[in-house]
Amino acid sequence: YEAAMQADVQERLALEQDLKKAATDGQLAVYIQPQVDAQGALVGGELLMRWNHPERGNVPPSRFIPLAEASGLILRMGDWMISQACEALAQLQAQGRALSISVNVSERQFRQEDFVERIRNVLAATGAKPELLILEVTESLLIENLDDTIARMTELVQLGVRFSIDDFGTGYSSLAYLKRLPLYELKIDKSFVQDAPADPNDAAIVQSILAVAGHLKLRVVAEGVETQAQADFLIQNQCKCLQGYLFGRPQPLGLWLGLQAKAAQGGA
């Protein structure tokens, strides 16, 4: 048992060292997964980080993101992702495409004292429209220092930036928070979407989230949509935005931007 624990610690340390190298050597890549409206038209996308290790191959985000959080590397990686999002928005704007881009913000990143200033600077440097940048935060962020969280979010919302709660329904869901937070969007976790509408419990949870969001005038994105039956169920229940393999797998951001440029030229 102790030997296994020792091996696990050594493996984590080795992976952390590799991640530090990856962050400086350009091994990390930005992918994007499209988001569509109820008619199937492209409305935006979510940025995702990928790590293709020279020896280990593709390391899943569920493995390296917690390491990045624990070591503090997430601060540099998070800044880079927000820069990528804003640069992509500026490119899309130049093509006349008003598509939104969502990017995950970790708790550690959000809690930096100069976080608002960092966002303001990158928006100014790139010329990206703030209202097309959607910052995704998890429910766990809302538990501690709620007043400070609300104040910081409000500052960013005043700049025009929008906020989304990621994986909604899996954490400490509280309707009291929803009432107080300056939110734009909720993302229904794929664990609920995957078994709806077949599982009546998951179907009921999805319908409840959509109903509450509708009353609070929040947009809802359903993640993990893989079948037409899931999409039909969500659309029937007034879900305005869908994301999942049914509509597109994550692809390199540069490739996706190239396709958008071609689409803009074709439509011109």
Side-chain angles (χ1 to χ4, degrees):
Y1 176 70
E2 285 184 1
M5 284 179 65
Q6 179 67 20
D8 184 53
V9 168
Q10 287 176 335
E11 169 65 11
R12 278 177 60 88
L13 286 171
L15 197 62
E16 188 180 313
Q17 289 303 315
D18 286 356
L19 185 57
K20 283 179 183 171
K21 194 170 188 299
T24 52
D25 289 3
Q27 291 174 23
L28 300 175
V30 185
Y31 277 54
I32 187 165
Q33 186 169 31
Q35 297 174 337
V36 303
D37 65 14
Q39 287 72 48
L42 184 70
V43 293
E46 179 188 0
L47 290 197
L48 304 163
M49 192 180 290
R50 294 289 182 262
W51 179 16
N52 190 10
H53 189 283
E55 283 95 38
R56 298 172 188 267
N58 285 316
V59 183
S62 59
R63 189 113 184 272
F64 72 81
I65 295 295
L67 270 182
E69 275 273 6
S71 65
L73 277 171
I74 198 72
L75 300 179
R76 189 175 6 142
M77 289 158 62
D79 279 352
W80 178 61
M81 288 293 278
I82 289 171
S83 293
Q84 293 285 310
C86 291
E87 286 168 16
L89 285 172
Q91 283 189 49
L92 291 166
Q93 286 160 212
Q95 299 161 9
R97 309 291 308 274
L99 301 173
S100 64
I101 290 186
S102 300
V103 60
N104 287 278
V105 172
S106 77
E107 183 167 356
R108 193 160 181 173
Q109 192 182 355
F110 182 87
R111 296 284 179 216
Q112 291 177 102
E113 282 196 17
D114 62 346
F115 181 66
V116 174
E117 196 60 35
R118 285 168 180 268
I119 299 290
R120 186 185 283 115
N121 290 343
V122 75
L123 286 168
T126 57
K129 288 183 180 173
E131 61 271 20
L132 294 174
L133 176 65
I134 300 174
L135 301 181
E136 293 189 11
V137 296
T138 59
E139 290 172 78
S140 60
L141 177 74
L142 315 175
I143 301 307
E144 293 179 30
N145 305 322
L146 181 61
D147 290 337
D148 176 62
T149 298
I150 292 170
R152 192 162 296 197
M153 286 174 77
T154 302
E155 250 189 291
L156 286 160
V157 167
Q158 285 168 351
L159 291 180
V161 175
R162 291 171 160 174
F163 275 93
S164 172
I165 296 186
D166 198 14
D167 301 335
F168 186 76
T170 61
Y172 307 91
S173 306
S174 168
L175 301 185
Y177 293 146
L178 293 187
K179 190 174 66 173
R180 292 184 62 193
L181 293 164
L183 292 171
Y184 168 67
E185 172 187 285
L186 304 178
K187 291 192 86 173
I188 302 178
D189 187 65
K190 62 185 177 185
S191 63
F192 300 123
V193 172
Q194 281 169 348
D195 292 326
D199 184 314
N201 292 330
D202 283 330
I205 290 169
V206 169
Q207 288 171 320
S208 299
I209 293 171
L210 286 164
V212 168
H215 288 300
L216 294 173
K217 296 183 170 49
L218 299 175
R219 185 172 88 148
V220 176
V221 180
E223 293 185 288
V225 183
E226 296 181 358
T227 69
Q228 194 59 51
Q230 291 165 351
D232 292 343
F233 166 73
L234 289 159
I235 291 163
Q236 284 161 12
N237 284 280
Q238 308 304 310
C239 186
K240 299 291 193 294
C241 189
L242 310 169
Q243 178 181 339
Y245 287 173
L246 183 64
F247 308 104
R249 289 177 176 268
Q251 58 183 295
L253 178 60
L255 176 64
W256 184 81
L257 286 170
L259 292 172
Q260 301 321 308
K262 279 185 185 174
Q265 288 167 3

